[in-house]
Amino acid sequence: MHLTLADWAAIVGYLLITLVLGLYFRRRSGQSTEDYFVSGRNVSWWLAGTSMVATTFAADTPLAVTGLVYVNGVAGNWLWWSFLPSGMMTVFLFARLWRRSGLITDVQFAEMRYSGKPAAFLRGFRAVYLGLLMNCLILGWVTKAMVNIISTAMGVSDAKALAICVFFLMPFTGIYVSLGGLWGVLWTDLFQFVLKMTIVISVAWYGVHAVGGMPQLLAGLAARRAAAGPGASDITALLPDFSRGFASEALWTLPVITFVVHLTVQWWAFWYPGAEPGGGGYIAQRIFSAKDERNGLLSVLWFNLAHYALRPWPWILTALVAVVLYPGLAQPERGYMLVATRQTPHALLGILLAGFMAAFMSTVATQLNWGSSYLVEDFYRRFLKKNGSEAHYVNASRLATVFLVIAAALVALQLGSVSAGWKIVLELGAGTGGVYLLRWYWWRVNAWSEISAMMAALVTTLALHSTALWMAIAGRAQPFSGSDSVIFAKTTLCTTGVTTLVWVTVTLLTPAEPGDTLVKFYRKVRPQITGWHAVAKLAGDEPVTRDLGKNLLCWILGCVLIYSSLFCIGELCFGRYKVGFVLAIVAIACGVAISRLMPKPAEWQAN
């Protein structure tokens, strides 16, 4: 598709704005690594929270949601909607603890909570494992998605689109990230989020208009269902069709077994970037950057509301349009770009591409800043050069950012598909989540608990894949049968069970952390006393925290609030107004209850 002069002007204008923001914050972020990685701990909740939302709004997410809806219906989004309980736990049970820790990276937690060589090993290993391996996998699949976008929108080959991403967009992002640090990332994220939401809402509006409006869209979906035969389910259903059985694989039906695994296991057992049990990664980084505990908590609350309830519906509506206009796609994810490029005015193509560049670059920017913080703070500074100046470490951080750009580009060249990347990350983190939750609330968890959990998940995942490959070569039946989603549910259940059994056993068989380490952590973070009675006795006359019951109630109310808001918007979109009105009342009631349970401003200051 030919780009006009106006299209190029929109693209160049967007790139210049991001570069100017990076240059503007260069001095402010260059004074110390604390300024570079956590913005001097002076960020307001709305800016930190919006940055989290912008980061999770990558170039791959509209395409991935389109693929889920196209195959499993709207209910297919439970793959990621199921992470909400973990996100709300971060809000009410962990955000304040992270902010009290005073860390720069969540990997530093290892040597704050644990001691000795195991703690040092854990910190160094996680720095490289997450900052390099996992980070480059994430950057690789995001780049793959951007390749699909560019090739579809501009009509170029995948090879040319990959070259544009690898040799221009990623290095350009690396430049403004290395210049502006987290301050630059935060403000470019805000600009990029507004641009991205404007674009996806416009694409949804033009798409629905192309089929004649919402009534015609729903009629078209009903016609597609009738043409597919009695095996098809209602594609607009927000929940799986439970009447079809536990492992039904009918068209537009999320298998119930997969839904159950998502909702009961995945949210607490899986490590996944942006949805880590107990918080972590760039979510923890934004909490560290907040002005105080209140701003840290509110930033994650705003993130969860925007991430789960507000943002998905423009993508979902566009996916439903793709089902009507482009049935039978071999690659369902491309349905989004078909609607975007064929149903929106050609005059908006440049702005459309700028919006997807914003989606791509906001995620890449955070991953580069977050990954370099691990490599510099938790590996280079901790193990290689301990006594350098702050200016030295800031420069090392900028070099680490450039190194990550090169490494991620190499991974993107080798990665087969978007799904290949996220499946690897999910499987490698299956079963590790339990230890990340309990390490804050149970004094008995030690460094070997985390080490054994990570190793067990890695070994079990490799063993299952090796067994499946060997059986395929030998012509024997696979260990697990069913569709891809059913097999995924079964394998992750197996990995979660093995990993949990291993780390709990290791915890009970290995010595607890030394008393002085536990006391120091207890005094610094002030966790709920329920799981820390033995340490509280050693700490002596220290303030005692007893807010677990209230926080758990807020957690439940928060989950109901977000899910009610999510379903309310969907029901209103589909014309089911009575249900939507009831859900709106439920959401408002939960919001009021949470506001009354949360501490007042004076009480925050007292904490």
Side-chain angles (χ1 to χ4, degrees), residues 22-90:
L23 288 169
Y24 179 80
F25 288 105
R26 183 175 184 272
R27 183 183 298 274
R28 193 170 181 179
S29 295
Q31 299 177 13
S32 69
T33 52
E34 186 167 284
D35 290 310
Y36 190 83
F37 290 128
V38 292
S39 300
R41 308 189 194 279
N42 195 34
V43 179
S44 299
W45 65 267
W46 56 269
L47 182 58
T50 303
S51 178
M52 297 179 203
V53 186
T55 297
T56 54
F57 186 166
D60 65 305
T61 40
L63 280 67
V65 168
T66 299
L68 291 172
V69 174
Y70 204 97
V71 175
N72 295 124
V74 175
N77 286 285
W78 282 101
L79 173 68
W80 63 282
W81 286 349
S82 60
F83 280 114
L84 172 64
S86 176
M88 295 309 293
M89 270 198 169
T90 301

Side-chain angles (χ1 to χ4, degrees), residues 110-170:
E111 290 194 299
M112 180 184 185
R113 173 67 171 79
Y114 315 124
S115 66
K117 292 182 179 179
F121 170 79
L122 178 62
R123 180 178 177 181
F125 176 74
R126 283 179 62 84
V128 176
Y129 182 77
L130 299 179
L132 187 59
L133 174 62
M134 289 295 196
N135 202 19
C136 288
L137 282 171
I138 296 165
L139 290 168
W141 87 57
V142 170
T143 302
K144 280 294 182 184
M146 194 63 192
V147 167
N148 290 340
I149 291 169
I150 293 175
S151 62
T152 303
M154 300 180 65
V156 299
S157 66
D158 284 355
K160 289 183 178 179
L162 183 60
I164 293 172
C165 291
V166 170
F167 297 112
F168 176 68
L169 290 180
M170 289 187 70

Side-chain angles (χ1 to χ4, degrees), residues 529-540:
I529 193 173
T530 304
W532 288 83
H533 281 294
V535 179
K537 291 179 181 179
L538 296 175

Side-chain angles (χ1 to χ4, degrees), residues 389-401:
S389 64
E390 286 298 318
H392 172 81
Y393 292 122
V394 170
N395 290 329
S397 303
R398 289 170 174 156
L399 290 175
T401 301

Side-chain angles (χ1 to χ4, degrees), residues 203-228:
V203 170
W205 190 90
Y206 281 113
V208 173
H209 179 73
V211 297
M214 278 302 300
Q216 289 73 22
L217 173 61
L218 295 174
L221 294 171
R224 293 292 182 199
R225 181 183 181 185

Side-chain angles (χ1 to χ4, degrees), residues 41 96-116 118-120 122-123 288 378 382 439-440 445-447 450 513-527 532:
R41 308 189 194 279
R96 280 172 282 194
L97 303 181
W98 278 119
R99 186 60 183 81
R100 290 172 194 167
S101 71
L103 301 173
I104 292 180
T105 75
D106 61 309
V107 171
Q108 290 178 343
F109 179 90
E111 290 194 299
M112 180 184 185
R113 173 67 171 79
Y114 315 124
S115 66
L122 178 62
R123 180 178 177 181
F288 298 149
D378 299 302
R382 171 62 180 83
R439 63 187 183 177
W440 294 94
V445 171
N446 59 34
E450 290 199 36
E513 295 298 332
D516 56 345
T517 300
L518 295 172
V519 168
K520 185 177 180 181
F521 175 82
Y522 178 80
R523 288 173 173 167
K524 177 77 173 178
V525 177
R526 304 194 307 278
W532 288 83

Side-chain angles (χ1 to χ4, degrees), residues 5-20 172 191 195 350 354 357:
L5 182 61
D7 295 329
W8 284 113
I11 294 170
V12 171
Y14 160 72
L15 295 174
L16 285 176
I17 290 173
T18 58
L19 184 60
V20 167
F172 184 88
F191 162 65
L195 176 61
M357 285 182 183

Side-chain angles (χ1 to χ4, degrees), residues 49 57 89 114 158 172 175 203 206 222 225 249 259 280 285 330 366 415 422 439 456 469 471 491 532 542 553 602:
F57 186 166
M89 270 198 169
Y114 315 124
D158 284 355
F172 184 88
I175 290 172
V203 170
Y206 281 113
R225 181 183 181 185
E249 299 173 15
F259 170 74
Q285 184 192 42
T366 286
L415 198 61
W422 67 257
R439 63 187 183 177
L469 179 62
M471 288 185 171
T491 55
W532 288 83
E542 287 289 325
L553 177 58

